[in-house]
Amino acid sequence: MSDPFLLSIVVPVWMEAAGVVKTLEALQPLRAQRHELIVVDAGSTDGTARLASPLADRVIQSGKGRAVQMNAGAAVAKGNVLLFLHADTQLPSNALSCLDQFVQSDKAWGRFDVRLSGRGAMFHVIAWFMNQRSRLTGICTGDQALFVRREVFEALRGFEHLPIMEDIEFSRRVRLVSRPFCIQEPVVTNSRRWEKQGVWRTIFLMWRLRWRYWRGESPGALAHSYRSDVRNVKD
């Protein structure tokens, strides 16, 4: 094992009362080893913050948007390794030993492979493509539990305050420092959005959004499309 490191896990949440307890309970063994768990709520009205409070070291409030929330969590974090975890994603049981290998490496950042919770074969295919694409491009999506050395995150001034694609934008900058440290042990991400919206519809939507982003379209316009098509939320 390398010299001890302090991990700060930052979980941005909004209206996650239905699942936040399950997510945070799974992280309690890490807290028992003195690692830090920070929940950043964006003004939920369903009791998310209240449910999270006894299961986190800190629950703070911030403006809406994952980039804003993750930056707010990082600003109060004490750890020398920051890990950003979606509220519907669970780390593998051996996450700490995997991250210890990262700390011993010369890499500045990294991510886990991902597995979707759905049981159908198509979900395995989707996850395989997500992981292979990430290896080839050096780009990480939020579903893959991005982690980064604190000094690197601060030097890059964190996430750009974008309404969408903040993970991809950050990856593009941090991969100039190093290629990602890729952990093959997967995190498990809830497949609810794929199941609710339809697998093929969701695939085409996400690829279309990424294509529009790479062509330089405004993240604001992309966020509007995402809310309208996936979340069925109107501005």
Side-chain angles (χ1 to χ4, degrees):
M1 296 287 284
S2 66
D3 291 337
F5 66 94
L6 175 61
L7 177 67
S8 291
I9 303 170
V10 177
V11 184
V13 297
W14 183 69
M15 305 297 279
E16 293 284 355
V20 70
V21 170
K22 178 181 178 181
T23 296
L24 299 183
E25 283 181 341
L27 297 171
Q28 297 310 298
L30 301 184
R31 290 185 70 204
Q33 296 183 60
R34 300 184 181 275
H35 295 286
E36 184 180 41
L37 176 54
I38 300 170
V39 174
V40 188
D41 183 50
S44 300
T45 58
D46 65 347
T48 296
R50 174 179 54 80
L51 292 170
S53 184
L55 298 170
D57 296 289
R58 297 191 67 170
V59 177
I60 65 173
Q61 295 290 326
S62 80
K64 281 187 181 181
R66 279 199 177 116
V68 174
Q69 292 171 260
M70 292 188 293
N71 284 342
V76 301
K78 299 176 182 177
N80 55 338
V81 176
L82 306 174
L83 186 148
F84 301 95
L85 187 70
H86 284 186
D88 61 357
T89 300
Q90 292 194 348
L91 294 174
S93 60
N94 63 341
L96 275 183
S97 61
C98 295
L99 290 167
D100 183 76
Q101 294 176 38
F102 159 69
V103 170
Q104 295 183 67
S105 77
D106 61 354
K107 302 297 186 183
W109 70 297
R111 56 50 167 194
F112 290 80
D113 272 4
V114 67
R115 178 167 63 85
L116 298 176
S117 64
R119 296 185 178 182
M122 193 62 189
F123 293 113
H124 296 287
V125 173
I126 293 168
W128 185 88
F129 275 104
M130 290 171 67
N131 297 326
Q132 293 304 311
R133 181 190 66 219
S134 180
R135 282 190 176 83
L136 289 172
T137 64
I139 295 294
C140 167
T141 62
D143 289 332
Q144 294 174 293
L146 183 153
F147 49 87
V148 59
R149 298 181 191 271
R150 182 189 188 91
E151 66 270 19
V152 174
F153 185 82
E154 292 178 345
L156 294 174
R157 299 184 179 180
F159 294 97
E160 287 287 334
H161 285 191
L162 303 177
I164 196 171
M165 303 293 177
E166 76 290 333
D167 45 5
I168 293 176
E169 192 280 333
F170 183 79
S171 295
R172 292 174 67 181
R173 285 186 289 131
V174 74
R175 72 178 178 179
L176 298 176
V177 181
S178 81
R179 293 284 296 181
F181 186 92
C182 299
I183 296 176
Q184 294 185 5
E185 190 74 24
V187 296
V188 179
T189 293
N190 196 302
S191 59
R192 59 186 177 181
R193 77 180 183 203
W194 306 86
E195 295 166 346
K196 180 179 179 181
Q197 301 296 328
V199 171
W200 287 109
R201 182 171 180 264
T202 303
I203 290 173
F204 290 139
L205 171 63
M206 299 311 295
W207 276 103
R208 187 167 67 249
L209 292 176
R210 290 192 181 98
W211 172 247
R212 289 165 60 185
Y213 175 73
W214 288 114
R215 293 185 63 188
E217 191 163 339
S218 161
L222 301 181
H224 174 76
S225 294
Y226 180 78
R227 288 192 296 267
S228 298
D229 293 350
V230 175
R231 294 184 175 176
N232 294 317
V233 176
K234 297 181 179 179
D235 291 333

